[in-house]
Amino acid sequence: MSLLVVGTVAFDAIETPFGKTDKILGGAATYISLAASYFTKKMNLVSVVGEDFPQEHINMLQKHHVDTTGLQVLKDQKTFFWSGKYHNDMNSRDTITTELNVLENFNPVVPEAYQDCDFLMLGNLSPAVQKAVIKQLKKRPKLIVLDTMNFWMDIAMAELLETLKQVDVLTINDAEARQLSGEYSLVKAAQKILAMGPKYLIIKKGEHGALLFNKEQVFFAPALPLEDVFDPTGAGDSFAGGFIGYLAETEDISFENMKRAIIFGSATASFCVEKFGTENLIGLTQEQVDSRVQEFVDLVQFDIALV
Ligand code: AMP
Protein backbone atom coordinates (compact mmCIF):
# COMPACT_ATOMS: atom_id res chain seq x y z
CA MET A 1 0.00 0.00 0.00
CA SER A 2 1.53 3.29 -0.88
CA LEU A 3 1.61 6.22 1.48
CA LEU A 4 1.88 9.79 0.26
CA VAL A 5 3.33 12.27 2.74
CA VAL A 6 2.92 16.01 2.24
CA GLY A 7 4.30 18.66 4.58
CA THR A 8 7.23 20.90 5.32
CA VAL A 9 10.84 19.87 4.96
CA ALA A 10 12.61 22.53 6.94
CA PHE A 11 15.43 24.00 8.93
CA ASP A 12 14.63 24.43 12.62
CA ALA A 13 16.45 26.22 15.42
CA ILE A 14 15.34 25.00 18.82
CA GLU A 15 15.88 26.16 22.36
CA THR A 16 14.85 24.07 25.36
CA PRO A 17 15.92 24.26 29.02
CA PHE A 18 18.54 21.60 28.07
CA GLY A 19 20.23 23.38 25.21
CA LYS A 20 20.04 25.18 21.94
CA THR A 21 20.59 24.17 18.32
CA ASP A 22 21.58 26.10 15.22
CA LYS A 23 19.73 25.34 12.01
CA ILE A 24 19.08 21.61 11.98
CA LEU A 25 16.93 19.34 9.86
CA GLY A 26 13.23 19.60 10.71
CA GLY A 27 9.84 19.94 9.11
CA ALA A 28 6.59 18.12 9.55
CA ALA A 29 7.04 15.82 6.54
CA THR A 30 10.55 14.91 7.68
CA TYR A 31 9.38 13.73 11.10
CA ILE A 32 6.32 11.99 9.64
CA SER A 33 8.34 10.07 7.04
CA LEU A 34 11.06 9.01 9.47
CA ALA A 35 8.49 7.78 12.00
CA ALA A 36 6.41 5.98 9.37
CA SER A 37 9.52 4.27 7.96
CA TYR A 38 9.56 1.94 10.98
CA PHE A 39 6.21 0.49 9.86
CA THR A 40 5.95 0.81 6.10
CA LYS A 41 8.60 0.52 3.43
CA LYS A 42 7.07 2.54 0.63
CA MET A 43 6.54 6.27 0.95
CA ASN A 44 6.22 9.11 -1.51
CA LEU A 45 6.97 12.70 -0.56
CA VAL A 46 5.54 15.96 -1.89
CA SER A 47 7.30 19.02 -0.49
CA VAL A 48 9.63 21.86 -1.34
CA VAL A 49 13.07 23.07 -0.24
CA GLY A 50 15.50 25.74 -1.42
CA GLU A 51 18.91 25.41 -3.01
CA ASP A 52 20.44 25.73 0.47
CA PHE A 53 19.08 22.30 1.50
CA PRO A 54 21.90 19.71 1.79
CA GLN A 55 21.77 16.66 -0.46
CA GLU A 56 22.85 14.49 2.51
CA HIS A 57 19.43 15.06 4.14
CA ILE A 58 17.69 13.94 0.94
CA ASN A 59 19.91 10.85 0.82
CA MET A 60 19.04 10.10 4.43
CA LEU A 61 15.30 10.28 3.67
CA GLN A 62 15.80 7.96 0.69
CA LYS A 63 17.55 5.47 2.97
CA HIS A 64 14.36 5.53 5.07
CA HIS A 65 12.32 4.30 2.06
CA VAL A 66 11.16 7.79 0.98
CA ASP A 67 10.80 8.45 -2.74
CA THR A 68 11.79 12.10 -3.20
CA THR A 69 10.72 12.61 -6.83
CA GLY A 70 7.99 14.94 -5.52
CA LEU A 71 10.41 17.05 -3.46
CA GLN A 72 10.89 20.28 -5.41
CA VAL A 73 14.29 21.96 -5.00
CA LEU A 74 13.88 25.61 -5.97
CA LYS A 75 16.89 27.40 -7.40
CA ASP A 76 18.08 30.59 -5.70
CA GLN A 77 15.52 30.20 -2.93
CA LYS A 78 15.71 29.44 0.76
CA THR A 79 14.23 26.50 2.67
CA PHE A 80 11.38 27.09 5.14
CA PHE A 81 12.80 28.07 8.52
CA TRP A 82 11.14 27.79 11.92
CA SER A 83 12.53 28.53 15.35
CA GLY A 84 10.94 27.95 18.71
CA LYS A 85 11.69 28.17 22.40
CA TYR A 86 10.21 25.84 25.01
CA HIS A 87 9.07 26.93 28.44
CA ASN A 88 10.47 25.19 31.50
CA ASP A 89 7.60 22.68 31.69
CA MET A 90 8.39 21.63 28.06
CA ASN A 91 4.65 21.42 27.37
CA SER A 92 4.35 24.82 25.77
CA ARG A 93 6.55 26.79 23.42
CA ASP A 94 6.77 30.12 21.70
CA THR A 95 7.39 30.34 17.99
CA ILE A 96 10.22 32.83 17.57
CA THR A 97 10.46 32.85 13.76
CA THR A 98 8.49 31.45 10.86
CA GLU A 99 10.20 32.26 7.56
CA LEU A 100 8.02 30.77 4.87
CA ASN A 101 10.62 31.28 2.07
CA VAL A 102 9.95 28.54 -0.54
CA LEU A 103 6.52 27.94 0.98
CA GLU A 104 5.31 31.40 0.08
CA ASN A 105 4.41 30.45 -3.49
CA PHE A 106 4.55 26.69 -3.21
CA ASN A 107 2.66 24.97 -5.97
CA PRO A 108 2.63 21.25 -5.09
CA VAL A 109 2.87 18.81 -7.95
CA VAL A 110 1.90 15.18 -7.43
CA PRO A 111 4.05 13.09 -9.81
CA GLU A 112 2.15 10.62 -12.02
CA ALA A 113 3.90 7.72 -10.28
CA TYR A 114 2.34 8.81 -6.96
CA GLN A 115 -1.25 8.66 -8.24
CA ASP A 116 -1.90 5.18 -6.92
CA CYS A 117 -2.02 6.38 -3.33
CA ASP A 118 -4.13 4.61 -0.73
CA PHE A 119 -3.05 6.57 2.32
CA LEU A 120 -2.54 10.32 2.28
CA MET A 121 -0.89 12.12 5.20
CA LEU A 122 -1.30 15.87 4.88
CA GLY A 123 1.28 17.13 7.35
CA ASN A 124 1.39 20.65 8.67
CA LEU A 125 1.39 23.07 5.74
CA SER A 126 -0.86 25.76 4.35
CA PRO A 127 -4.42 24.38 4.08
CA ALA A 128 -4.62 25.66 0.48
CA VAL A 129 -1.62 23.49 -0.44
CA GLN A 130 -3.09 20.52 1.42
CA LYS A 131 -6.32 20.94 -0.56
CA ALA A 132 -4.46 21.32 -3.86
CA VAL A 133 -2.84 17.92 -3.28
CA ILE A 134 -6.21 16.22 -2.64
CA LYS A 135 -7.53 17.81 -5.84
CA GLN A 136 -4.67 16.45 -7.93
CA LEU A 137 -5.34 12.85 -6.94
CA LYS A 138 -7.45 11.14 -9.61
CA LYS A 139 -8.60 8.40 -7.22
CA ARG A 140 -9.60 9.26 -3.65
CA PRO A 141 -7.26 7.58 -1.15
CA LYS A 142 -8.71 5.06 1.28
CA LEU A 143 -7.78 7.37 4.16
CA ILE A 144 -6.84 11.05 4.31
CA VAL A 145 -5.26 12.29 7.57
CA LEU A 146 -4.63 16.00 8.11
CA ASP A 147 -2.44 17.68 10.70
CA THR A 148 -2.38 21.43 11.21
CA MET A 149 -1.50 24.03 13.83
CA ASN A 150 -2.56 27.34 15.39
CA PHE A 151 -0.40 29.28 12.87
CA TRP A 152 -2.75 28.27 10.02
CA MET A 153 -5.86 28.78 12.17
CA ASP A 154 -4.66 32.35 12.78
CA ILE A 155 -3.98 33.25 9.16
CA ALA A 156 -6.02 30.85 7.00
CA MET A 157 -9.07 29.65 8.99
CA ALA A 158 -11.48 29.85 6.01
CA GLU A 159 -9.23 27.67 3.81
CA LEU A 160 -8.67 25.27 6.68
CA LEU A 161 -12.44 24.82 7.18
CA GLU A 162 -12.81 24.14 3.43
CA THR A 163 -10.02 21.55 3.47
CA LEU A 164 -11.37 19.85 6.59
CA LYS A 165 -14.54 18.91 4.70
CA GLN A 166 -12.46 16.54 2.58
CA VAL A 167 -10.48 14.63 5.19
CA ASP A 168 -11.14 11.51 7.27
CA VAL A 169 -8.92 12.08 10.31
CA LEU A 170 -7.78 15.36 11.87
CA THR A 171 -4.88 15.42 14.34
CA ILE A 172 -4.38 18.54 16.46
CA ASN A 173 -3.33 19.34 20.01
CA ASP A 174 -5.67 20.32 22.84
CA ALA A 175 -5.08 24.08 22.52
CA GLU A 176 -5.72 23.89 18.77
CA ALA A 177 -8.92 21.87 19.32
CA ARG A 178 -10.13 24.63 21.64
CA GLN A 179 -9.16 27.34 19.15
CA LEU A 180 -10.85 25.56 16.24
CA SER A 181 -14.08 24.81 18.09
CA GLY A 182 -14.36 27.72 20.52
CA GLU A 183 -15.12 25.14 23.25
CA TYR A 184 -13.03 24.56 26.38
CA SER A 185 -14.34 21.05 27.07
CA LEU A 186 -12.50 18.67 24.74
CA VAL A 187 -15.57 16.45 24.48
CA LYS A 188 -17.68 19.37 23.26
CA ALA A 189 -14.80 20.51 21.04
CA ALA A 190 -14.66 17.04 19.49
CA GLN A 191 -18.40 17.04 18.75
CA LYS A 192 -18.12 20.39 16.99
CA ILE A 193 -15.01 19.46 15.02
CA LEU A 194 -16.49 16.14 13.89
CA ALA A 195 -19.40 18.15 12.46
CA MET A 196 -16.90 20.10 10.30
CA GLY A 197 -16.04 17.09 8.12
CA PRO A 198 -13.54 14.64 9.65
CA LYS A 199 -14.95 11.26 10.72
CA TYR A 200 -12.21 10.86 13.33
CA LEU A 201 -10.44 13.35 15.52
CA ILE A 202 -7.21 12.81 17.42
CA ILE A 203 -6.45 15.33 20.15
CA LYS A 204 -2.80 15.21 21.24
CA LYS A 205 -2.14 16.23 24.81
CA GLY A 206 1.67 16.05 24.96
CA GLU A 207 2.86 14.22 28.05
CA HIS A 208 -0.80 13.53 28.90
CA GLY A 209 -1.37 11.23 25.93
CA ALA A 210 -3.88 11.37 23.11
CA LEU A 211 -7.63 10.97 22.60
CA LEU A 212 -9.27 9.40 19.54
CA PHE A 213 -12.89 10.34 18.85
CA ASN A 214 -15.49 9.39 16.33
CA LYS A 215 -19.15 10.30 16.72
CA GLU A 216 -19.93 7.27 18.89
CA GLN A 217 -16.70 6.26 20.61
CA VAL A 218 -13.65 7.59 22.38
CA PHE A 219 -10.29 5.96 23.11
CA PHE A 220 -7.42 7.22 25.25
CA ALA A 221 -3.73 6.35 24.88
CA PRO A 222 -1.24 7.54 27.49
CA ALA A 223 2.17 8.98 26.76
CA LEU A 224 5.03 6.97 28.20
CA PRO A 225 6.37 8.54 31.39
CA LEU A 226 9.94 9.29 30.27
CA GLU A 227 12.87 10.10 32.50
CA ASP A 228 14.34 12.65 30.10
CA VAL A 229 12.53 14.80 27.58
CA PHE A 230 15.08 16.89 25.70
CA ASP A 231 13.11 18.37 22.85
CA PRO A 232 9.40 17.94 22.09
CA THR A 233 9.76 19.35 18.54
CA GLY A 234 8.26 17.00 16.03
CA ALA A 235 6.49 14.85 18.62
CA GLY A 236 3.12 15.54 17.01
CA ASP A 237 4.46 14.74 13.55
CA SER A 238 6.22 11.59 14.72
CA PHE A 239 2.96 10.54 16.32
CA ALA A 240 1.14 11.11 13.02
CA GLY A 241 3.87 9.23 11.13
CA GLY A 242 3.71 6.17 13.36
CA PHE A 243 -0.11 6.28 13.21
CA ILE A 244 -0.43 6.42 9.43
CA GLY A 245 2.58 4.18 8.81
CA TYR A 246 0.96 1.42 10.81
CA LEU A 247 -2.44 1.90 9.15
CA ALA A 248 -0.89 1.90 5.67
CA GLU A 249 1.00 -1.30 6.40
CA THR A 250 -1.98 -3.14 7.92
CA GLU A 251 -4.49 -1.68 5.42
CA ASP A 252 -7.17 -1.72 8.09
CA ILE A 253 -8.92 1.57 8.89
CA SER A 254 -11.37 0.31 11.50
CA PHE A 255 -11.67 2.12 14.85
CA GLU A 256 -10.13 -0.96 16.55
CA ASN A 257 -7.05 -0.79 14.35
CA MET A 258 -6.80 2.97 14.82
CA LYS A 259 -6.47 2.29 18.55
CA ARG A 260 -3.41 0.15 17.83
CA ALA A 261 -2.10 2.77 15.41
CA ILE A 262 -2.30 5.40 18.14
CA ILE A 263 -0.10 3.27 20.37
CA PHE A 264 2.46 2.93 17.56
CA GLY A 265 2.24 6.70 17.02
CA SER A 266 2.77 7.34 20.72
CA ALA A 267 5.78 5.01 20.70
CA THR A 268 7.49 6.84 17.83
CA ALA A 269 6.72 10.21 19.46
CA SER A 270 8.35 8.98 22.67
CA PHE A 271 11.60 8.28 20.80
CA CYS A 272 11.48 11.67 19.09
CA VAL A 273 11.47 13.71 22.30
CA GLU A 274 14.44 11.89 23.85
CA LYS A 275 16.97 13.75 21.68
CA PHE A 276 17.16 17.02 19.77
CA GLY A 277 15.44 17.30 16.40
CA THR A 278 15.29 14.19 14.23
CA GLU A 279 18.40 12.62 15.78
CA ASN A 280 16.69 9.78 17.62
CA LEU A 281 14.37 8.89 14.73
CA ILE A 282 17.22 8.26 12.33
CA GLY A 283 18.76 5.06 13.61
CA LEU A 284 16.17 3.07 15.55
CA THR A 285 16.10 -0.70 15.32
CA GLN A 286 12.97 -2.81 15.02
CA GLU A 287 13.78 -4.32 18.43
CA GLN A 288 13.81 -0.87 20.04
CA VAL A 289 10.44 -0.02 18.50
CA ASP A 290 8.92 -3.35 19.53
CA SER A 291 10.13 -3.11 23.11
CA ARG A 292 8.85 0.47 23.40
CA VAL A 293 5.43 -0.67 22.23
CA GLN A 294 5.54 -3.45 24.83
CA GLU A 295 6.19 -0.77 27.49
CA PHE A 296 2.92 0.89 26.45
CA VAL A 297 1.06 -2.40 26.70
CA ASP A 298 2.50 -3.01 30.19
CA LEU A 299 1.70 0.54 31.27
CA VAL A 300 -2.04 0.26 30.68
CA GLN A 301 -2.76 -3.42 31.22
CA PHE A 302 -4.73 -4.34 34.32
CA ASP A 303 -7.33 -6.87 35.42
CA ILE A 304 -10.46 -5.94 37.27
CA ALA A 305 -13.08 -8.40 38.39
CA LEU A 306 -16.40 -6.58 38.77
CA VAL A 307 -18.92 -8.20 41.05
P1 AMP B 1 5.50 19.73 16.04
O1 AMP B 1 6.48 19.90 17.16
O2 AMP B 1 4.99 18.34 15.89
O3 AMP B 1 4.44 20.77 16.03
O4 AMP B 1 6.32 19.97 14.69
C1 AMP B 1 7.40 20.83 14.60
C2 AMP B 1 7.82 20.92 13.14
O5 AMP B 1 6.83 21.66 12.42
C3 AMP B 1 9.12 21.68 12.98
O6 AMP B 1 10.09 20.80 12.45
C4 AMP B 1 8.82 22.83 12.03
O7 AMP B 1 9.73 22.93 10.97
C5 AMP B 1 7.43 22.54 11.50
N1 AMP B 1 6.63 23.76 11.47
C6 AMP B 1 6.64 24.78 12.35
N2 AMP B 1 5.76 25.73 11.99
C7 AMP B 1 5.17 25.29 10.86
C8 AMP B 1 4.16 25.82 9.98
N3 AMP B 1 3.58 27.00 10.20
N4 AMP B 1 3.79 25.07 8.93
C9 AMP B 1 4.35 23.89 8.71
N5 AMP B 1 5.32 23.32 9.47
C10 AMP B 1 5.72 24.02 10.54
Side-chain angles (χ1 to χ4, degrees), residues 8 10 12 26-28 31 80 82 86 93 98 124-125 149 151-152 232-237:
T8 45
D12 291 347
Y31 284 102
F80 172 73
W82 173 82
Y86 287 85
R93 72 180 177 208
T98 301
N124 194 5
L125 201 63
M149 74 186 288
F151 179 84
W152 301 111
T233 310
D237 304 314

Side-chain angles (χ1 to χ4, degrees), residues 108-126:
V109 178
V110 177
E112 194 52 39
Y114 289 8
Q115 279 294 339
D116 187 24
C117 147
D118 290 301
F119 290 81
L120 173 60
M121 178 69 230
L122 296 167
N124 194 5
L125 201 63
S126 122

Side-chain angles (χ1 to χ4, degrees), residues 144-205:
I144 303 179
V145 181
L146 182 142
D147 185 56
T148 189
M149 74 186 288
N150 56 346
F151 179 84
W152 301 111
M153 292 178 194
D154 293 340
I155 68 165
M157 186 61 114
E159 281 118 317
L160 177 61
L161 291 174
E162 270 309 302
T163 310
L164 281 184
K165 289 183 189 156
Q166 300 188 37
V167 311
D168 301 303
V169 185
L170 171 66
T171 69
I172 44 180
N173 69 29
D174 41 358
E176 290 154 356
R178 291 182 171 120
Q179 180 172 355
L180 183 59
S181 64
E183 292 286 350
Y184 187 80
S185 149
L186 292 180
V187 176
K188 285 187 185 158
Q191 284 161 0
K192 276 202 178 170
I193 293 167
L194 290 172
M196 295 173 186
K199 294 185 220 43
Y200 303 91
L201 170 68
I202 295 173
I203 301 182
K204 299 166 285 182
K205 288 157 58 74

